[in-house]
């Protein structure tokens, strides 16, 4: 067998009539074909119909085993992975429903066949990767039409470009743009050769370091369309990606404005100045006239370029060759002119009046007077400085006192002028351009000089300004990466093409700075618009063979760079829009059928028009410098973060990078931003910050495995290890809450107000874990667990609760809650407080373990030294949208629990809901306590704690236990005993409890009042109360008169209390108790006496409830010490009764149980 051939076996259905049923083009149809004799050998063939795709390897189950027989068909064809059929365009596993239905034949992989849906064979996985199609978002791409119309995706073949055409030339064309031809000579003349080299070296170093970082990122995986945006967003996350991506988009758009303004400046200043629409009548109006002309012509040029880009990027690519040829020709003409200047400098004289440079527009000869026919006559220059052409006319004083001198503007490379141009000549707006070597008599008068034909500074100049103006000349480095969707191999082309382009342009810039300073006179270098050489382009005066070569070349260079910007910027915006991280930009993700971003192009043209309206090249340049520098800074940051984190996926093919280089590049970018313009830098950062916070606020749900997430993980690990060293100091203690939520049958949150309370208590600070326990096994409940987690996250989002969700599946609820209390959190970042709701239906629950789970949770939090908060009637607590205008938060400080009761109201009042509520603290004084001194001590304690609260001491001197308390305790114990001994159904149990409750109350009222009328009234009152409460709830009488009467007869001891039954039930139980095999416990039920310990506990609950209800019934929230459960587990049900009595009559209660440590301190 040949090495390039593989054996494939296909199972094909065959009917009994010798016909093969094979799939047609459409599902549900079959075509019949004769089947050759299969006896003795396997038939050969591809297993496909002519003109149709090969069948997929699958086992097709026969519908009738008698009529359909599976036959093994041998297939020999070139070796492919899997079935060789490209089924999808995604490299991810299980991305299509079709794959889930694919089964696998044979016994070799039988051990894995049940997991094939989630763990496909390696061959199938590799096949998906091989057939993965990179859907570019560049010039030619797949575009999805509106889903409602049901149109299918159109596929247009994309021309794949290489390194030279796709990256090197666009980068070269953008870098060698307007600044080189229009401003570099002026920068050299103003800053001097030394500082100009510093500016060029600083900016080129910044871009080279950025290119190295960008190369590492670009070679670390597939880079689809979006280029720099894609690299930043996938490395630093959607927030940074969106912010920096939009800034880079704005920079690219304003770059288009700058190039268009450069184009118009060349056109109107150097090519056809007669085409100006607005003309200045006076010299001081020349600037305004030029700006207005720039606005009109710039808008027309922008419209024309936008139409060209709209028609098709392929025309831009074709024109790019022409434009680049002009650029290269212009550069060669410059070097040729430099060489020629060694032996034959060009003749461009500059007229100097004293040491001042004159504009050579309106005169031909640099003379005051000349002799014509033996007559001395004045020249045109004389008329510019004098009030008339006569020889005796009144002239400007400086014109009279100084001579005219003609100097050579291009002295040549060997003239030694390089030494004169080494140092800077900065100055304010309106400063005259002077040659210090020439003599000058008289002082300048700015008010008069402005009307004279002097060459002056049109803007104030200083080093930092020149940095901002020059930097755009090196910002074209990402022109290639922006069109990465059109590249054949972006990972190879982007690094090579970009670095070569930067190296080439850096050499051109550095050599140009030196050569300009060595060949051109300083005053001509500082003449920005060439006014001293009859309006010629200064750099054009040096070129050979003609200044027009470089004028035309620079014109087309600016045109090409503008087209490249208008091509790249809309695609960048389209990539951002299609990621969906900024919702209002999604409309710009659509375009024409061939992928042209039409809407994005319109927005780009609109923003570009803003730069056109500014109209000043020197004003637009620093703006786009800020946006580009910010982008470059984050590219370097992304590379440095990925390198230092050493994430497993960080495996760039480009090896010549280091994190130190990236940090150096990032530092340079930041420095240049503030060097250029600190206020522009702050503005650009503010814009990026606003975009970042907007994306964060909208909830960027994209997970791209970005470096910031990895950095967060590393920082979290470091912090957790530090937290593990020692527990937090009391000053740093805050409740880290584990919220135990209950879910309903459809996994919905039962009590969302628990989350509201958590938000109000935490205000986003510290740790919050919202947990739930599902009963069952994880294999069976996995889907429910994920659904529960999503529902809890949605509820947390609605209640603005920031935290984590933890859903566990356990065989029983008790174990699940225990596991959460023990293991929730990580390292030092663990919860120290448990928040849960009061089990209000614990009496009605069909599960007797419901209240036992609650008590066990109380015990386990105590054992784990964790605080416990139990909210009663939590569904009536205020929401986060409520604002309590008044009211109180009452704290009943019965026992000291570490200060939790003091700290919680303070934290609640930090939230807007509770901010206007006052804090009141009540404490209980016993018989032997000095209540006056207690109040003073408590006030001093609160003063030292810096807490503002009212203090009140409540005295509880009555230690006598009332008959009501005895009766209530006895009823509680009898009920508990009955439920233990009698196996009743739920309905019978509730009926039994109700009858005991009613009759016992009636008995008490008969004893206290001794009248049938009072009995009837009492029964009516009891019935009304029982209707409001749950059926099985035991409550004591709220009637104040009867309660006082019972207290007055407190001497009625337990012997005088009767247990009253209904008549039928009493007879039934007596008959049962007389039976010989009757349970002894049932007989003892009628002779029970209440346990003294339970009586005392019930007394505490009753008395404390009385004072709390009396003082705090109208409070917005009551915080109360939670008594601990009994050590003897036999009294657990009684413990629930005690708590029920304690909380009776209170609407908003938060039971607080400390964790066994001090949580608040008086010390600083």
């Amino acid at each position: 067998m040949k090495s390039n051939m593989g054996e494939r076996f296909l199972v094909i259905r065959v009917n009994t009539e010798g016909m093969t049923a094979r799939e047609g083009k459409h599902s549900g149809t079959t075509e019949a074909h004769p089947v050759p004799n299969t006896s003795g050998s396997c038939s050969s063939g591809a297993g496909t119909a002519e003109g149709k795709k090969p069948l997929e390897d699958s086992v097709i189950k026969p519908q009738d085993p008698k009529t359909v027989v599976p036959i093994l068909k041998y297939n020999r064809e070139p070796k492919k992975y899997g079935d060789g059929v490209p089924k999808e365009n995604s490299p991810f596993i299980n991305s299509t429903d079709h794959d889930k239905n694919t089964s696998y034949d044979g016994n070799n992989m039988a051990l894995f066949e049940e997991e094939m849906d989630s763990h496909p064979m390696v061959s199938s996985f590799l096949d998906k990767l091989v057939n993965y199609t990179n859907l570019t978002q560049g010039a030619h791409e797949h575009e999805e039409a509106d889903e409602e119309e049901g149109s299918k995706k159109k596929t247009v073949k994309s021309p794949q470009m290489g390194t030279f055409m796709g990256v090197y030339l666009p980068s070269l064309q953008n870098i060698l743009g307007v600044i080189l031809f229009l401003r570099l000579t002026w920068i050299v003349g103003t800053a001097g050769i030394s500082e100009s080299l510093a500016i060029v070296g600083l900016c080129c170093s910044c871009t080279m370091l950025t290119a190295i970082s960008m190369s590492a990122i670009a070679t670390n995986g597939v880079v689809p369309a979006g280029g720099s945006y894609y690299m930043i967003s996938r490395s630093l996350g959607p927030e940074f990606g969106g912010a920096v991506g939009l800034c880079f988009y704005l920079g690219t758009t304003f770059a288009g404005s700058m190039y268009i303004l450069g184009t118009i400046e060349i056109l109107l200043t150097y090519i056809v100045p007669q085409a100006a629409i607005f003309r200045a009548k006076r010299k001081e109006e020349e600037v305004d006239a030029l700006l207005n002309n720039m606005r009109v012509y710039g808008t027309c040029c922008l419209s024309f370029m936008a139409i060209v880009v709209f028609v098709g990027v392929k025309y831009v690519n074709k024109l790019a060759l022409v434009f680049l040829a002009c650029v290269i020709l212009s550069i060669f003409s410059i070097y040729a002119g430099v060489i020629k200047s060694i032996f034959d400098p060009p003749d461009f004289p500059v007229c100097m009046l004293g040491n001042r440079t004159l504009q050579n527009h309106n005169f031909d000869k640099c003379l005051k007077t000349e002799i014509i026919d033996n007559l001395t006559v004045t020249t045109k220059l004389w008329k510019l400085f004098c009030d008339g052409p006569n020889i005796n006319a009144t002239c400007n004083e400086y014109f009279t006192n100084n001579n005219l001198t003609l100097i050579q503007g291009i002295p040549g490379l060997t003239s030694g002028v390089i030494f004169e141009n080494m140092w800077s000549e900065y100055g304010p707006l309106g400063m005259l351009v002077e040659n210090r070597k020439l003599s000058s008599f008289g002082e300048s008068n700015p008010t008069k000089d402005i009307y004279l034909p002097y060459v002056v500074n049109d803007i104030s100049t200083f080093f930092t300004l020149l940095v901002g103006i020059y930097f755009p000349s090196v910002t074209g480095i990402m022109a290639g990466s922006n069109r990465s969707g059109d590249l054949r191999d972006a990972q190879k082309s982007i690094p090579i093409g970009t670095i070569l382009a930067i190296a080439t342009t850096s050499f051109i810039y550095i050599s140009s700075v030196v050569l300009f300073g060595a060949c051109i006179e300083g005053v001509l270098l500082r003449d920005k618009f060439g006014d001293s050489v009859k309006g010629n382009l200064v750099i054009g005066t040096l070129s050979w063979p003609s200044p027009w070569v470089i004028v035309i070349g620079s014109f087309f260079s600016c045109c090409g760079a503008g087209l490249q910007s208008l091509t790249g910027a809309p695609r960048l915006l389209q990539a951002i829009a299609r990621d969906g991280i900024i919702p209002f930009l999604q409309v710009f993700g659509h375009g024409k059928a061939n992928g042209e971003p039409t809407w994005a192009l319109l927005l780009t043209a609109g923003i570009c028009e803003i730069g056109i309206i500014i109209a000043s090249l020197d004003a637009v340049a620093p703006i786009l410098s800020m946006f580009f520098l910010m982008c470059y800074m984050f590219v370097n940051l992304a590379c440095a973060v990925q390198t230092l984190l050493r994430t497993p996926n960080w495996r760039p093919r480009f090896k010549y990078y280091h994190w130190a280089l990236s940090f150096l590049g990032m530092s340079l970018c930041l420095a240049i931003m503030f060097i250029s313009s600190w206020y522009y830098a702050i503005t650009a950062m503010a814009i990026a910050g606003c975009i970042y916070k907007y994306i964060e606020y909208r909830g960027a749900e994209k997970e791209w495995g970005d470096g910031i997430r990895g950095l967060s993980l590393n920082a979290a690990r470091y912090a957790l290890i530090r937290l593990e060293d020692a527990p937090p100091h009391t000053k740093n203690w805050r409740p880290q809450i584990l919220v135990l939520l209950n879910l309903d049958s459809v996994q919905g949150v039962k009590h969302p107000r628990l989350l509201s309370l958590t938000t109000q208590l935490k205000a986003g600070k510290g740790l919050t874990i919202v947990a739930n326990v599902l009963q069952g096994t994880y294999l069976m409940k996995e889907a429910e667990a994920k659904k529960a987690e999503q529902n809890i996250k949605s509820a947390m989002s609605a209640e603005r609760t920031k935290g984590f969700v933890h859903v566990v599946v356990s065989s029983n609820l008790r174990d699940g809650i225990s596991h959460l209390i023990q293991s929730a959190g990580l390292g030092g970042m663990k919860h120290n407080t448990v928040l849960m709701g009061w089990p209000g239906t614990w009496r009605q629950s069909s599960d007797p373990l419901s209240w036992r789970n609650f008590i066990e949770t109380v015990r386990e939090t105590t054992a784990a030294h964790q605080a416990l908060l139990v909210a009663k009637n939590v569904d009536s607590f205020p929401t986060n949208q409520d604002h309590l205008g008044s009211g109180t938060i009452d704290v009943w400080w019965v026992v000291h629990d570490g200060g939790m009761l003091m700290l919680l109201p303070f934290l609640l009042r930090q939230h807007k809901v509770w901010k206007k509520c006052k804090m009141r603290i009540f404490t209980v004084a016993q018989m032997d306590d000095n209540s006056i001194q207690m109040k003073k001590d408590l006030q001093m304690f609160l003063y030292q704690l810096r807490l503002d609260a009212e203090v009140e001491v409540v005295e509880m001197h009555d230690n006598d236990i009332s008959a009501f308390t005895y009766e209530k305790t006895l009823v509680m114990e009898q009920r508990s005993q009955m439920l233990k001994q009698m196996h009743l159904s739920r309905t019978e149990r509730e009926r039994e409890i109700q009858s005991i409750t009613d009759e016992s109350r009636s008995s008490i009222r008969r004893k206290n009042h001794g009248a049938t009328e009072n009995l009837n009234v009492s029964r009516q009152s009891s019935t009304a109360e029982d209707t409001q409460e749950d059926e099985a709830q035991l409550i004591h009488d709220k009637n104040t008169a009867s309660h006082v009467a019972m207290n007055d007869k407190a001497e009625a001891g337990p012997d005088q209390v009767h247990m009253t039954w209904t008549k039928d039930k009493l007879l039934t139980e007596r008959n049962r108790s007389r039976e010989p095999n009757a349970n002894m416990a049932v007989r003892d039920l009628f002779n029970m006496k209440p346990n003294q310990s339970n009586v005392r506990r019930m007394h505490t609950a009753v008395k404390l409830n009385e004072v709390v209800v009396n003082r705090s019934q109208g409070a917005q929230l009551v915080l109360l010490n939670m008594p601990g459960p009994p050590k003897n587990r036999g009294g657990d049900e009684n413990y629930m009764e005690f708590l029920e009595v304690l909380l009776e009559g209170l609407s908003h209660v938060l039971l607080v149980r400390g964790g066994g440590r001090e949580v608040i301190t008086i010390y600083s």
Side-chain angles (χ1 to χ4, degrees), residues 259-314:
Y259 294 130
I260 293 173
L261 290 174
T263 302
I264 303 305
E265 182 176 314
I266 295 171
L267 180 69
L268 295 181
T269 306
Y270 307 113
I271 299 179
V272 280
Q274 300 81 9
I277 300 174
F278 300 92
R279 298 182 182 275
K281 296 180 180 179
R282 294 181 298 175
K283 185 174 182 295
E284 61 269 24
E285 297 176 353
E286 290 178 356
V287 175
D288 293 335
L290 176 63
L291 294 181
N292 288 330
N293 286 319
M294 299 275 279
R295 293 183 179 105
V296 173
Y297 280 95
T299 303
C300 296
C301 183
L302 172 63
S303 302
F304 174 74
M305 288 186 176
I307 293 173
V308 171
V309 174
F310 177 78
V311 170
V313 71
K314 59 182 179 180

Side-chain angles (χ1 to χ4, degrees), residues 1069-1136:
E1069 290 302 325
R1070 282 181 177 174
N1071 292 334
R1072 289 184 58 189
S1073 64
R1074 292 193 183 103
E1075 295 178 2
N1077 57 349
N1079 195 328
M1080 293 300 297
V1082 177
R1083 297 182 182 181
D1084 294 339
L1085 187 64
F1086 299 96
N1087 301 321
M1088 285 183 62
K1089 292 184 179 181
N1091 181 278
Q1092 281 299 116
S1093 176
N1094 288 339
V1095 171
R1096 291 173 57 250
R1097 291 172 184 268
M1098 182 64 75
H1099 173 75
T1100 302
V1102 170
K1103 298 298 292 183
L1104 188 58
N1105 176 262
E1106 286 180 9
V1107 295
V1108 173
V1109 170
N1110 187 32
R1111 303 296 182 92
S1112 301
Q1113 193 169 19
Q1116 299 287 2
L1117 181 63
V1118 177
L1119 280 79
L1120 186 63
N1121 283 115
M1122 182 177 184
K1127 295 182 179 180
N1128 180 14
R1129 296 177 184 272
D1132 285 354
E1133 190 173 12
N1134 297 336
Y1135 173 71
M1136 296 296 293

Side-chain angles (χ1 to χ4, degrees), residues 18 77 119 174 201 348 587 638 806 843 914 918 1038 1040 1075:
E77 62 180 24
H119 299 75
N174 274 267
F348 283 97
V587 65
H806 196 174
R843 286 198 182 99
W914 304 92
K918 295 182 179 180
K1038 287 187 179 180
T1040 304
E1075 295 178 2

Side-chain angles (χ1 to χ4, degrees), residues 439-545:
S439 60
S440 175
F441 302 98
E443 299 295 329
S444 61
N445 187 353
T447 58
K448 294 182 179 179
D449 293 342
I450 191 173
Y451 300 103
L452 298 175
Y454 293 126
V455 177
V456 297
N457 285 352
D458 63 330
I459 58 173
S460 298
T461 54
F462 40 89
F463 177 80
T464 57
L465 173 72
L466 298 186
V467 173
I469 292 176
Y470 172 76
F471 190 81
S473 66
V474 297
T475 55
I477 64 172
M478 290 188 173
S481 64
N482 285 345
R483 303 166 68 227
S484 55
D486 300 325
L487 299 176
R488 183 185 305 114
D489 186 358
Q491 295 189 39
K492 177 182 177 182
S493 299
I494 290 176
I496 296 175
T498 304
I499 292 177
L500 282 179
I502 294 175
T504 304
T505 54
S506 297
F507 171 77
I508 292 173
Y509 282 130
I510 293 173
S511 62
S512 296
V513 168
V514 176
L515 295 176
F516 291 164
C519 296
I520 305 176
E521 179 63 42
V523 292
L524 182 56
L525 286 173
R526 296 196 298 276
D527 184 3
K528 182 185 292 187
F529 301 106
D531 292 324
S532 60
V533 286
K534 294 187 177 295
N536 278 298
L537 183 62
V538 175
I539 195 174
T541 60
L542 182 62
S543 64
W544 180 86

